[in-house]
Amino acid sequence: MSTGVVDAPPAVVSSCRISRGCQPGQMSWGVQVDDLTDAEVAHGFRAGDEVCLSEAYGRWSSLVYTVALRSLGNREDAEDVTQQVFVSAWRGRERYNPDAGTLAGWLIGITRHTIADRWAAAQRDQRVLRAVGSVTV
């Protein structure tokens, strides 16, 4: 059964092995990144661990990309939105509250806002083009 999720553009994935919870400065060679739970990845992401950022991208970029592609209908725009979502999430990671929901859910919220911004910009561009087109010289 297909989930309808489209593969996102590839990301560089670290081969580093980290401790449970991706705690910066507490590196361990005992736990593979793939063995971490979503909650541990989210905790490390919020704490600023770049390995957890990479792991979050690996786990949820396809979801973000699929939502953007279905909403915008354009692969290039979907790729841009996917990148913007993860950059925005990383820059605002202190605002992520794991008690309020999952990291995936938080990323989808950012995705929805980014898509809305993209639609608003496209509408503004169309209004400007119509205004310029109606001006006679």
Side-chain angles (χ1 to χ4, degrees), residues 6-123:
V6 179
D7 287 336
V12 176
V13 179
S14 171
S15 61
C16 184
R17 298 173 186 205
I18 56 177
S19 67
R20 295 183 64 76
C22 306
Q23 291 296 320
Q26 296 180 354
M27 297 301 209
S28 167
W29 300 108
V31 177
Q32 293 276 353
V33 173
D34 293 341
D35 294 338
L36 296 172
T37 66
D38 289 351
E40 291 168 333
V41 171
H43 177 78
F45 180 94
R46 188 174 192 285
D49 190 306
E50 292 178 7
V51 174
C52 286
L53 167 61
S54 179
E55 182 64 16
Y57 185 89
R59 291 183 188 197
W60 298 301
S61 63
S62 292
L63 175 63
V64 169
Y65 177 78
T66 299
V67 169
L69 181 60
R70 289 184 178 175
S71 297
L72 300 170
N74 178 301
R75 289 189 180 277
E76 293 81 21
D77 287 345
E79 289 171 2
D80 288 346
V81 165
T82 301
Q83 180 179 4
Q84 289 175 355
V85 165
F86 279 89
V87 168
S88 294
W90 184 248
R91 288 181 177 161
R93 64 188 176 273
E94 300 83 22
R95 292 188 303 272
Y96 168 62
N97 178 2
D99 294 332
T102 65
L103 182 57
W106 188 64
L107 291 169
I108 289 300
I110 295 170
T111 303
R112 292 175 56 216
H113 288 233
T114 305
I115 290 167
D117 291 346
R118 184 65 59 114
W119 281 339
Q123 290 174 345

